[in-house]
Amino acid sequence: MDYLESLNENQRGAVLQTEGPVMIIAGAGSGKTRVLTYRLAHLIQNGVDAFNILSLTFTNRAAKEMQHRIQTLVGGEAKNIWMGTFHSVFSRILRTEAEKIGYPSNFTIYDTDDSRSLIKTILNEVQLDDKTYKPSVVHNRISAAKNRLITAEAYLKNAHYMADDAAAGKPEMGRLYKLYQDRCKKAGAMDFDDLLFNTFKLFNEHIDVLNKYQNRFKYVMVDEFQDTNIAQYMITRKLAAQNRNICVVGDDAQSIYAFRGADIQNILNFEKDYPELKVFKLEQNYRSSQTIVEAANSIIKKNKAQLPKNVWTANDQGNPIDLIHAGSDNEEGKSIANAIFEAKMQHQLKHSDFAILYRTNSQSRAFEESLRSLNLPYEVVGGVSFYQRKEIKDLLAYFRLMMNPNDEQSLRRIINYPKRGIGDTTVGKLFITADEQGASIWDVMSHAASAGIPVKTAQVIMDFVTMLEAGKVIANNQDAYEAASDMAKKSGLLRELYDDKTVEGIARYENVQQLLNGVKAFVDDPEKEDKGLGAFLQEISLLTDADSKKPGDKDYITLMTIHSAKGLEFKYVYVVGMEEDLFPSAMMLNSRADLEEERRLFYVAVTRAETHLTLSHANTRYRFGKLIDCKRSRFIDEIDQSYIKQIIGKGSLNRNIVQTTPKEPFTRTAVKNLAPPAAKTKIKYVPPTDFKASDTSVLASGMKVEHPKFGFGMVKLVDSNGSDRKAIIDFEELGEKTLILSFAKLRIH
């Protein structure tokens, strides 16, 4: 019981209350993961069989980290907890039970690209314009229906949905939903939403299966409960109905995924479903300074839809929040980059201590350019993931087709890649024949000559079928690496990439080798019981962007959207683009619910900061190729202004500060003249004929220097870290410049 001594009173209460429905409201930085870990360990130490515990998370990484922590407390028994994401746990159940709802146990899991590619194929077949019915829009509409547990049949019968679609100029949406579902089922495939939708269907239609899992999962715990959608909540409620030992953990103030179907009402109304509910509030913040915590409180209190709580901290008061007012988005980028450069040098910090957070990915450009100009290493989170690269998806399509020969999307992708003489006309004829005969595409391909395909082409198709069938035999008898490496060679894909000696071709070949290395690592992992190719495919199909790697693992400055930053923390956080119609987004101003979601997003951004928080906004910004005037965000004004320090212009956090009479706890700043100071008249500097550069190894802040082009200036800071020493110099006529000293010619005066 020693671990209980490290908990505060509310944390301990949440750990000890193991029976009945429990809701843990966990404020930002309140030690939620520790409480979850200790609660699970406490259940096991008090005689609960780990096999009877279900713990649901939103990322595989979070599940692995938690399982590792529990293992340090209770040993190997922690491995027996059913722990993972909703999608991974439910896909595990469906692999066992899928045949009861008409799917094969080796069903393929379609990612977003697969789903949208199938929708595009269907649009072509039914001759609907893909500009009117954009595949992404159709997919989102289908996804939203599934998350609300609405079948295609129910959708078509719902007059409200039909009227909405007609008003939007998309009256065929319901038919597309039905066609899409039928094609997925025929291909033996489920998309991500189906993993939830079909689990609910399974439990709803097969009470014996539901009872089986109710008896198995005597204790159900759900992390990040504020992010659950209707389907996720309904499934967990069914699972917990018999024992009622359900514990949900979350923070309504951090509910920011409505666009993915998350329903904040799940946490706000949880008590209505469980009148005997025990509620524990984790209100002490261990992460951030008092300034940041109190500023965040002043923001979120503006929301009406929330569970009352009083987040506080015993940490130091900390620094005021810096507010940078820039003339343009490019100037904003320079201001932030210079601020990071100064802070890093002054306090000897790592690059990974810094994060720049923005509302949309398109905002990263100005910051990337400014960071590059200062040679500051950075990483943009949310680019093309490894498993979305073409060459990786191509090889994975071969693997998927080996395991599920009815997978239409994989077949279309690689039937003629590398080129083997099976053209689009032939592929179309194969699918038409399959439809006419009510047969699977694989059966038709296996008898291609009977489908009216020319003899030579029919033989090529037969060779393709034979290759994949031979691959499946190897996959059924060998581990994943043996099967994968064999197919990579026999398919011709490795040779195709190897022969491309362009820079891009070499990179693609190396990526495929990296995939095969990943398969080998999977096989060599002693914790993996099933080392087959099917198990490997299932694992990678359930990876999310958040599982690729944790920002901050390497010494880079992190650039990311605020949505991607949830659950992370950094010493220095810069929330940029704080302007009306950007943050809050113009698309989120139509209702109070939308605006409150944006405010929660701002709250999440602010509470990522441990010691230093900077906000920034610009007068002008390029958007969609046009220069627009910007108005600063209402969210800035919602913060108690006594916590804010105003900064004007680009550059140092120690210059151009507008202040008025001191007010506790910080200097409150006047917002009288936020226009950048007028530019000085530039006089061309002419260097003396006897100019001779000095030895800059002795250069230090405070020294006066002369540059043959920029004239006279004062050294502000010298960065001695890394191979290239740099200096920030404030030149009399040109202002601040950052120079690499190995290149700069400076005369010290």
Side-chain angles (χ1 to χ4, degrees):
M1 294 289 189
D2 291 346
Y3 56 85
L4 294 175
E5 301 303 317
S6 64
L7 302 176
N8 65 39
E9 184 180 348
N10 284 353
Q11 290 175 331
R12 193 178 304 116
V15 168
L16 295 176
Q17 183 63 49
T18 58
E19 304 303 305
V22 173
M23 180 162 67
I24 303 171
I25 302 171
S30 62
K32 177 196 70 171
T33 303
R34 172 185 287 191
V35 171
L36 281 172
T37 301
Y38 288 3
R39 192 173 193 275
L40 289 166
H42 187 69
L43 282 167
I44 293 171
Q45 289 201 341
N46 281 271
V48 175
D49 190 334
F51 283 101
N52 294 143
I53 301 173
L54 172 63
S55 179
L56 296 166
T57 65
F58 272 83
T59 67
N60 294 291
R61 188 181 68 231
K64 287 177 182 175
E65 287 179 2
M66 201 181 305
Q67 200 157 46
H68 178 72
R69 290 194 193 189
I70 298 167
Q71 228 171 310
T72 62
L73 295 172
V74 300
E77 190 65 18
K79 294 179 182 178
N80 297 327
I81 298 174
W82 275 58
M83 180 180 290
T85 64
F86 284 89
H87 294 93
S88 65
V89 169
F90 295 161
S91 69
R92 185 176 170 186
I93 291 172
L94 286 168
R95 291 287 175 198
T96 304
E97 315 289 350
E99 291 179 1
K100 292 184 174 63
I101 54 172
Y103 284 85
S105 60
N106 63 342
F107 61 83
T108 299
I109 299 174
Y110 280 174
D111 63 17
T112 299
D113 284 349
D114 296 324
S115 295
R116 293 179 180 177
S117 177
L118 175 56
I119 289 168
K120 191 167 185 177
T121 299
I122 293 169
L123 288 169
N124 288 335
E125 291 173 355
V126 297
Q127 298 182 326
L128 286 175
D129 184 6
D130 63 6
K131 292 183 174 60
T132 301
Y133 292 91
K134 291 181 180 178
S136 60
V137 173
V138 175
H139 181 237
N140 289 339
R141 185 70 167 169
I142 293 171
S143 177
K146 289 182 182 178
N147 286 334
R148 289 173 172 78
L149 301 174
I150 299 162
T151 65
E153 292 77 12
Y155 190 104
L156 284 164
K157 292 176 182 176
N158 189 300
H160 177 70
Y161 296 143
M162 294 295 100
D164 278 354
D165 290 341
K170 299 176 179 63
E172 298 291 337
M173 197 71 82
R175 181 163 73 108
L176 290 172
Y177 180 8
K178 182 71 168 66
L179 289 169
Y180 171 78
Q181 276 307 98
D182 290 346
R183 288 288 275 276
C184 283
K185 193 162 188 178
K186 186 176 179 181
M190 297 188 198
D191 62 22
F192 256 50
D193 298 310
D194 284 328
L195 296 177
L196 305 177
F197 185 87
N198 285 334
T199 301
F200 180 81
K201 176 182 172 74
L202 175 71
F203 289 161
N204 207 44
E205 296 179 358
H206 298 272
I207 192 68
D208 56 324
V209 177
L210 175 60
N211 288 338
K212 171 183 171 182
Y213 289 99
Q214 285 177 335
N215 289 325
R216 173 170 292 172
F217 302 133
K218 292 181 169 58
Y219 293 85
V220 177
M221 188 179 297
V222 183
D223 189 15
E224 302 288 3
F225 186 62
Q226 76 280 349
D227 294 333
T228 54
N229 59 34
I230 292 171
Q232 288 163 329
Y233 179 42
M234 294 298 288
I235 295 167
T236 50
R237 196 169 78 171
K238 276 182 176 291
L239 285 170
Q242 191 174 103
N243 297 291
R244 295 182 77 79
N245 293 324
I246 181 170
C247 173
V248 300
V249 187
D251 181 9
D252 58 292
Q254 297 185 65
S255 178
I256 59 172
Y257 293 117
F259 68 96
R260 291 183 189 167
D263 191 341
I264 193 175
Q265 297 304 319
N266 288 350
I267 192 168
L268 296 179
N269 297 328
F270 189 66
E271 193 167 1
K272 292 180 180 178
D273 290 330
Y274 298 95
E276 74 274 35
L277 182 71
K278 296 282 196 304
V279 179
F280 296 90
K281 295 181 181 180
L282 309 184
E283 297 174 306
Q284 183 174 358
N285 180 302
Y286 294 93
R287 175 190 300 155
S288 306
S289 68
Q290 285 185 33
T291 299
I292 293 168
V293 169
E294 290 165 13
N297 286 344
S298 72
I299 294 162
I300 203 63
K301 74 179 183 182
K302 305 292 192 302
N303 274 8
K304 292 186 176 181
Q306 61 176 299
L307 297 169
K309 57 182 172 296
N310 179 37
V311 179
W312 61 279
T313 185
N315 294 340
D316 293 339
Q317 185 73 50
N319 296 283
I321 297 168
D322 291 312
L323 175 60
I324 294 177
H325 179 126
S328 67
D329 48 354
N330 285 334
E331 186 180 296
E332 181 186 36
K334 293 174 185 175
S335 300
I336 298 299
N338 284 341
I340 292 173
F341 186 78
E342 288 186 28
K344 181 180 177 297
M345 288 194 294
Q346 285 179 338
H347 305 294
Q348 301 301 305
L349 297 164
K350 296 183 294 183
H351 296 111
S352 56
D353 290 328
F354 299 89
I356 300 174
L357 308 183
Y358 34 73
R359 181 64 178 83
T360 63
N361 276 309
S362 61
Q363 291 170 251
S364 71
R365 179 198 56 80
F367 304 100
E368 291 187 66
E369 290 176 359
S370 297
L371 292 171
R372 276 200 300 269
S373 72
L374 295 179
N375 288 332
L376 292 171
Y378 65 88
E379 180 177 37
V380 180
V381 176
V384 177
S385 73
F386 179 78
Y387 290 104
Q388 292 300 317
R389 292 177 175 137
K390 179 187 180 301
E391 62 275 15
I392 300 303
K393 295 204 75 168
D394 288 339
L395 186 51
L396 289 176
Y398 276 100
F399 300 164
R400 283 167 36 163
L401 206 54
M402 286 161 60
M403 306 311 296
N404 175 16
N406 291 319
D407 181 353
E408 177 184 336
Q409 290 308 297
S410 294
L411 177 64
R412 287 182 182 275
R413 187 178 189 96
I414 49 90
I415 191 170
N416 199 37
Y417 180 75
K419 289 189 182 299
R420 50 177 61 91
I422 308 174
D424 291 344
T425 302
T426 300
V427 173
K429 192 165 187 178
L430 289 169
F431 276 97
I432 290 169
T433 303
D435 284 340
E436 289 174 348
Q437 296 181 4
S440 72
I441 185 66
W442 195 253
D443 286 340
V444 173
M445 289 173 61
S446 300
H447 303 87
S450 303
I453 304 295
V455 175
K456 186 177 178 181
T457 306
Q459 187 57 53
V460 174
I461 293 170
M462 287 296 297
D463 291 343
F464 177 72
V465 169
T466 302
M467 175 186 69
L468 286 164
E469 287 180 337
K472 185 166 187 176
V473 171
I474 295 174
N476 289 338
N477 293 282
Q478 302 286 339
D479 63 38
Y481 180 72
E482 294 295 330
S485 55
D486 179 76
M487 182 51 66
K489 293 170 188 170
K490 287 182 178 173
S491 66
L493 193 146
L494 266 186
R495 171 57 60 184
E496 175 90 359
L497 295 174
Y498 181 79
D499 289 343
D500 184 352
K501 298 304 182 184
T502 64
V503 174
E504 295 81 6
I506 292 169
R508 286 192 287 268
Y509 179 76
E510 289 174 349
N511 285 338
V512 167
Q513 291 294 343
Q514 188 59 40
L515 173 62
L516 294 174
N517 291 340
V519 181
K520 188 70 169 72
F522 172 86
V523 169
D524 291 344
D525 187 343
E527 294 191 3
K528 297 287 189 299
E529 293 180 14
D530 185 348
K531 299 181 185 296
L533 187 60
F536 172 77
L537 288 173
Q538 174 165 328
E539 179 167 295
I540 64 167
S541 69
L542 295 166
L543 290 175
T544 65
D545 292 341
D547 292 316
S548 54
K549 64 179 173 180
K550 186 174 181 179
D553 285 350
K554 293 184 179 179
D555 194 23
Y556 297 132
I557 296 163
T558 300
L559 278 65
M560 65 201 313
T561 65
I562 303 166
H563 282 101
S564 299
K566 189 164 172 294
L568 303 175
E569 56 190 48
F570 302 89
K571 286 183 180 177
Y572 283 67
V573 169
Y574 301 82
V575 186
V576 300
M578 294 295 304
E579 295 137 31
E580 287 292 299
D581 294 339
L582 183 55
F583 195 22
S585 166
M587 294 186 293
M588 299 293 281
L589 299 176
N590 297 320
S591 69
R592 179 175 296 279
D594 285 347
L595 180 59
E596 292 200 351
E597 171 116 349
E598 285 289 280
R599 190 176 286 115
R600 291 193 295 269
L601 188 60
F602 183 40
Y603 176 84
V604 166
V606 167
T607 54
R608 298 312 92 200
E610 296 176 7
T611 58
H612 291 75
L613 174 65
T614 299
L615 310 177
S616 67
H617 63 104
N619 284 338
T620 60
R621 180 178 300 276
Y622 276 98
R623 296 192 73 186
F624 309 111
K626 293 182 179 180
L627 186 65
I628 62 168
D629 292 326
C630 304
K631 179 182 177 184
R632 85 176 192 174
S633 171
R634 69 188 73 187
F635 291 156
I636 293 174
D637 300 319
E638 290 180 355
I639 300 174
D640 185 327
Q641 296 297 295
S642 64
Y643 298 124
I644 290 179
K645 179 175 70 177
Q646 300 269 7
I647 297 165
I648 299 174
K650 63 183 182 186
S652 169
L653 295 184
N654 300 316
R655 63 198 289 262
N656 296 331
I657 300 175
V658 185
Q659 297 181 333
T660 57
T661 309
K663 174 183 174 181
E664 295 299 331
F666 298 115
T667 301
R668 186 164 185 169
T669 60
V671 191
K672 293 182 179 177
N673 177 18
L674 291 181
K680 297 178 181 178
T681 303
K682 293 183 180 178
I683 302 172
K684 185 172 178 61
Y685 168 77
V686 180
T689 54
D690 64 345
F691 183 91
K692 184 178 180 181
S694 305
D695 177 9
T696 56
S697 64
V698 297
L699 195 70
S701 59
M703 288 183 172
K704 185 176 181 180
V705 295
E706 184 180 5
H707 186 278
K709 182 178 180 182
F710 305 142
F712 293 96
M714 186 71 69
V715 178
K716 300 288 293 298
L717 281 169
V718 177
D719 178 13
S720 299
N721 295 327
S723 57
D724 289 323
R725 294 175 71 239
K726 308 181 191 75
I728 294 180
I729 302 172
D730 190 1
F731 289 100
E732 291 177 357
E733 299 301 330
L734 299 174
E736 286 186 5
K737 285 190 174 295
T738 301
L739 304 181
I740 298 175
L741 296 179
S742 58
F743 299 138
K745 291 181 173 60
L746 296 172
R747 180 158 72 177
I748 301 173
H749 286 269

